[in-house]
Amino acid sequence: MKQKKTKQANRWHVHVCLLFAGLNLAWASLRAAEDRVYYEVDDYPDVEKIDAHFHIRTVDSSFVAEAAKEGFRFLNVAVHVSDPVAFRQRHQAAYAQKKAHPNRVEVMVAFELRGWDDPDWVERTIQYLGQAKERGALGVKVWKDIGMVFRDRENQLVMIDHPQFDPVFDFMEREGMRLMGHLGEPRNCWLPLEEMTVKNDRRYFQNNPQYHMYLHPEMPSYEEQLAARDRMLGKHPNLPFLGAHFGSLEWSVDALARFLEEHPSAVVDTAARMGQLEYQSQRDWKKVRDFMLKYQDRILYGTDGGVQAPGQAASALIQMQKRWQSDWIYLASREEQSVPELDLPVKGLHLPRSVLDKIYHGNARRLFPTAWTE
């Protein structure tokens, strides 16, 4: 009898061991499956990353060489400046970077507003853009000086929906050149400093009061700036459009979703507005994460970082490494971290690997299929 009980106990022991072994195997399989669905924070250096909104204003190529070790490529954006010498230098630097790193750097140009009132401005601008495309430019960036600074000979602000731009945008549409638009400013620009949601906006507008529209009520409102942009897009529905800085709708994923629905060919980048996204996710984490999942095909990673002058590559790299890694932690993990823009820690969105691949490189490669070739 005792021997029978011992055998029975042994059988139960075997069954229990097999059960736990099966559970451990199932758990390991689930963990392995999750590992395939999500990146780890430590995967950061191995993931291809395209910073699709960057400014390298020097011919020194060392920054790109070092950033390549972290898997980075760049869309190097030349921003309009009224000084013709500085305008030329910025574009020379952009093309020099592409020549030095043909598989790492692509170029987006600006066009000059100088001579706007001349009868041949349109013809000259189209000729210039044709030459830029031949040199490899992927598109054109228009900056906030349109609508906020630049005036015609009658001292009238020139808005982005001005009819004189139409033939230029028609040309770009025919040639497949993408328009990147930094039009208007973050909504914080129209608020007093103490009501702004992120520290970097507060600091920028405190240091640049000429752009702090709260101090200039005679200027077009936030809503008027975006309405001009939308009227322009309405006239050119097939113009490939990239809304810089979350399309100046950084304050609300709901408003940004409406824009993307109304303009199905438009995309946006994250440049210099990650703090506003983090601010929103502190208040409604699920809403922000759901937005990123739903519009994963319409978002490009960018920082608005850059290298401004020779000799600054090393210091710029240190600064950018902090920003890139912080953004990666926010997008790829569940970790909480402190960020410079906010007082309280922010929890990561933990986006799937497939979504991060699109945001970090897949969408840029899809939109610019001839770019960043090996």
Side-chain angles (χ1 to χ4, degrees):
M1 184 70 175
K2 185 176 180 181
Q3 186 177 10
K4 183 177 180 181
K5 287 183 177 180
T6 301
K7 289 181 178 180
Q8 191 175 23
N10 288 339
R11 283 198 298 270
W12 276 109
H13 178 73
V14 170
H15 287 317
V16 170
C17 289
L18 290 173
L19 176 62
F20 276 102
L23 289 173
N24 286 333
L25 182 60
W27 175 249
S29 298
L30 287 172
R31 288 298 302 273
E34 184 174 353
D35 288 344
R36 289 191 295 272
V37 172
Y38 295 96
Y39 282 118
E40 298 290 336
V41 170
D42 292 343
D43 291 324
Y44 164 79
D46 301 321
V47 176
E48 182 190 20
K49 298 173 286 291
I50 296 174
D51 191 326
H53 191 141
F54 210 74
H55 308 286
I56 307 176
R57 294 173 179 164
T58 171
V59 297
D60 179 358
S61 63
S62 60
F63 178 90
V64 175
E66 290 301 313
K69 298 175 183 177
E70 298 194 27
F72 269 97
R73 291 178 165 85
F74 299 95
L75 180 56
N76 193 18
V77 182
V79 179
H80 177 260
V81 61
S82 58
D83 176 15
V85 175
F87 182 92
R88 184 170 61 254
Q89 289 173 341
R90 288 183 178 188
H91 286 78
Q92 287 173 342
Y95 288 121
Q97 292 292 336
K98 178 171 173 56
K99 183 177 180 180
H101 303 281
N103 68 333
R104 290 279 166 186
V105 178
E106 298 292 346
V107 175
M108 187 164 281
V109 299
F111 52 66
E112 286 196 273
L113 297 172
R114 187 166 54 105
W116 170 264
D117 295 299
D118 297 343
D120 64 343
W121 181 87
V122 169
E123 180 183 355
R124 286 188 289 108
T125 300
I126 290 175
Q127 183 180 24
Y128 164 76
L129 292 183
Q131 294 168 349
K133 186 183 180 187
E134 289 179 2
R135 296 186 68 178
L138 300 181
V140 175
K141 179 178 181 178
V142 289
W143 196 50
K144 64 187 179 185
D145 53 352
I146 298 174
M148 299 185 77
V149 177
F150 182 71
R151 295 175 182 269
D152 63 16
R153 63 161 56 109
E154 296 177 355
N155 202 36
Q156 297 297 308
L157 276 173
V158 173
M159 305 296 284
I160 196 61
D161 63 335
H162 193 290
Q164 188 159 306
F165 287 124
D166 289 342
V168 175
F169 295 153
D170 288 339
F171 171 81
M172 291 177 59
E173 186 176 324
R174 290 193 303 271
E175 295 297 317
M177 299 182 75
R178 185 165 292 273
L179 179 67
M180 173 187 280
H182 175 173
L183 300 165
E185 281 283 64
R187 196 177 70 156
N188 280 337
C189 176
W190 281 265
L191 298 176
L193 292 173
E194 63 273 14
E195 293 183 21
M196 293 184 183
T197 54
V198 291
K199 295 178 184 178
N200 55 328
D201 280 351
R202 198 174 302 125
R203 183 169 56 250
Y204 177 82
F205 292 114
Q206 188 170 26
N207 294 333
N208 296 275
Q210 72 274 24
Y211 294 127
H212 187 189
M213 291 298 103
Y214 176 77
L215 303 177
H216 305 283
E218 74 282 1
M219 296 288 285
S221 68
Y222 172 77
E223 291 77 14
E224 288 170 327
Q225 294 285 355
L226 298 192
R229 177 203 62 194
D230 291 346
R231 287 193 297 270
M232 179 273 292
L233 292 176
K235 291 191 289 183
H236 304 278
N238 297 316
L239 176 66
F241 182 72
L242 196 170
H245 313 297
F246 280 123
S248 294
L249 291 162
E250 73 300 317
W251 63 279
S252 168
V253 292
D254 291 331
L256 182 51
R258 287 193 294 272
F259 169 77
L260 292 173
E261 292 297 328
E262 291 168 3
H263 302 281
S265 63
V267 298
V268 296
D269 71 35
T270 66
R273 301 294 184 266
M274 197 70 82
Q276 284 91 336
L277 194 70
E278 292 166 338
Y279 176 85
Q280 292 180 73
S281 68
Q282 284 180 333
R283 284 145 184 81
D284 195 332
W285 182 88
K286 184 177 185 302
K287 177 191 281 191
V288 171
R289 188 174 191 273
D290 287 347
F291 168 84
M292 298 295 283
L293 294 175
K294 181 174 181 179
Y295 295 101
Q296 59 186 270
D297 296 312
R298 314 281 294 278
I299 302 168
L300 282 70
Y301 179 72
T303 61
D304 203 21
V307 185
Q308 303 302 318
Q312 294 184 0
S315 59
L317 183 65
I318 293 171
Q319 180 181 4
M320 290 311 306
Q321 285 172 330
K322 293 177 182 177
R323 186 183 306 183
W324 289 332
Q325 290 167 13
S326 175
D327 290 346
W328 174 258
I329 290 170
Y330 175 62
L331 295 173
S333 79
R334 293 190 181 94
E335 291 184 18
E336 280 199 350
Q337 63 171 326
S338 296
V339 295
E341 293 86 355
L342 302 170
D343 290 325
L344 298 176
V346 62
K347 174 185 173 183
L349 296 178
H350 198 223
L351 299 175
R353 174 190 295 250
S354 59
V355 175
L356 292 173
D357 284 344
K358 291 178 181 179
I359 292 172
Y360 270 100
H361 61 87
N363 291 338
R365 286 194 173 279
R366 174 174 54 83
L367 296 173
F368 304 110
T370 63
W372 303 289
T373 54
E374 297 295 341

